[in-house]
Each structure stands twice: as structure tokens, then as C-alpha cells.
Amino acid sequence: RESHVTATAAAPLVSPSSRLAMQTFTYPNQGDILEESMHGTAASSLPSRRRPTVPQSPDGALDNAFRNLPVAVGMETLQSLLKQREGEAVALHSQVALLDKARASLSEELVSLAADNEQLKEKLEHVPALKRQVDELDKRYNTMLQMYGEKAEESNELRMDLEDVKSMYKQQIQDMLLKSMH
């Protein structure tokens, strides 16, 4: 009888580019040969040192690194690789949390800016009416300014006329006084 062990990389802990291929190790009761099959096909036979072939990465680098290592060293290496992948996963989770916070902050800012934009649009709708009012007030101001200028000019003319009349009246009084004395 043979016992089968399946080794796979945990999907959430390993990125797709470095995911290890699924391996099935077969250990015969005789102990002479260790057979490895990958996805159900026989791949190779190894000497009786009981060195399982290491799960392969897509680029084959792990297979070359572990080919001549004893099982204990291979397991330690796999455990350290797993810890490294778990560390990467923790780092990625913290990055995701930071990005979620940034996204939430940007969402709040977007909502705030959208509300401000709506308020500005409402105010913008009032601008043409306000512009008409300003134009109307400007016309009234110019008309009043023109009228004031005319009245000021008229007042100056009347003041000058009054001065002329006063001076003529004084002259007449002096002329009459001079005639009456002679």
C-alpha cells in the first residue's frame, strides 16, 4: 500500500506570480523509490534518501534550489518560505488597509466637493438676475450722477448770478448815494 501527501500553496497567502504548483508525493512501503507526480502524471524517480522533490514555482527556480537538499532542510526552507509569504501577506493587508482609508478619505472629500459644487451651481443660477440688477443700479446711478452734475452746475450758475445781482445792487446804491450828495 502507498500513502499520498498533497502539498499546495495557500491561495490568500501567496501572490499569483509566485504561487507554488500543486505536488503529490508518493511514499512506497518498500522505501526504495520516491515517486513524484505533478497533476496526476509521473515525473521522476529519486534515490532512496527519501528526498521529495520540492513544489515547483512557475519559473522553476525553487525546484533547482531544493533538488539536492535532505527532507528536513527542505521542510525548514519551505517553512521559512511560508513565513516569508505570510509576512508579505501581512504587509499587503496593511497596504490594503491604508488604501481603504485613503479611498474612504477621498470618498468623503468627493462627497464634500460634490455638495459644494451643487451649492455653487445654485448660486450660479442667481448670477444672471444679480447681473441685471447691477446693470439697472448702474444705469440709475449714472442717471442720478448726471442729474446731480446738472443741478450742481445750475446751482453754481445761480450763485454766480446772485453775486452779479448783489454787486449790481451795491453799485446802484452807491451811484444813488453819489447822486444824492451832489
Side-chain angles (χ1 to χ4, degrees), residues 84-100:
Q84 178 185 357
R85 296 295 187 237
E86 287 173 346
E88 290 174 4
V90 168
L92 289 174
H93 283 293
S94 66
Q95 283 181 346
V96 167
L98 287 174
L99 290 174
D100 283 342

Side-chain angles (χ1 to χ4, degrees), residues 7-170:
T8 59
L13 298 178
V14 180
S15 67
S17 62
S18 65
R19 185 168 290 162
L20 301 173
M22 185 167 91
Q23 299 286 324
T24 304
F25 301 109
T26 306
Y27 297 95
N29 281 343
Q30 321 286 292
D32 290 325
I33 299 173
L34 175 67
E35 292 178 3
E36 170 193 22
S37 65
M38 185 158 114
H39 300 291
T41 60
S44 66
S45 296
L46 299 174
S48 63
R49 284 196 227 164
R50 291 196 174 245
R51 288 177 293 170
T53 302
V54 177
Q56 295 180 355
S57 64
D59 60 2
L62 290 177
D63 187 43
N64 291 336
F66 295 113
R67 187 167 300 280
N68 295 321
L69 295 176
V71 173
V73 174
M75 289 303 287
E76 288 176 10
T77 306
L78 284 175
Q79 286 176 343
S80 69
L81 186 63
L82 180 61
K83 286 181 183 178
Q84 178 185 357
R85 296 295 187 237
E86 287 173 346
E88 290 174 4
V90 168
L92 289 174
H93 283 293
S94 66
Q95 283 181 346
V96 167
L98 287 174
L99 290 174
D100 283 342
K101 286 180 183 178
R103 182 186 56 176
S105 173
L106 290 174
S107 294
E108 289 174 7
E109 186 175 347
L110 181 64
V111 168
S112 173
L113 290 174
D116 290 346
N117 190 32
E118 286 301 316
Q119 288 176 351
L120 291 174
K121 281 182 181 179
E122 289 174 7
K123 289 179 181 178
L124 188 61
E125 290 174 0
H126 298 295
V127 168
L130 292 173
K131 190 172 183 178
R132 282 192 301 272
Q133 287 178 349
V134 166
D135 289 344
E136 189 176 307
L137 287 173
D138 192 40
K139 286 179 186 176
R140 287 176 59 193
Y141 173 75
N142 286 333
T143 303
M144 291 172 83
L145 189 60
Q146 186 178 1
M147 288 172 54
Y148 173 76
E150 290 172 0
K151 295 297 177 183
E153 188 177 321
E154 190 178 314
S155 173
N156 283 337
E157 287 177 7
L158 289 172
R159 199 172 286 132
M160 288 171 43
D161 287 347
L162 182 62
E163 290 296 322
D164 286 344
V165 168
K166 279 184 183 180
S167 67
M168 286 174 33
Y169 184 70
K170 283 182 185 179

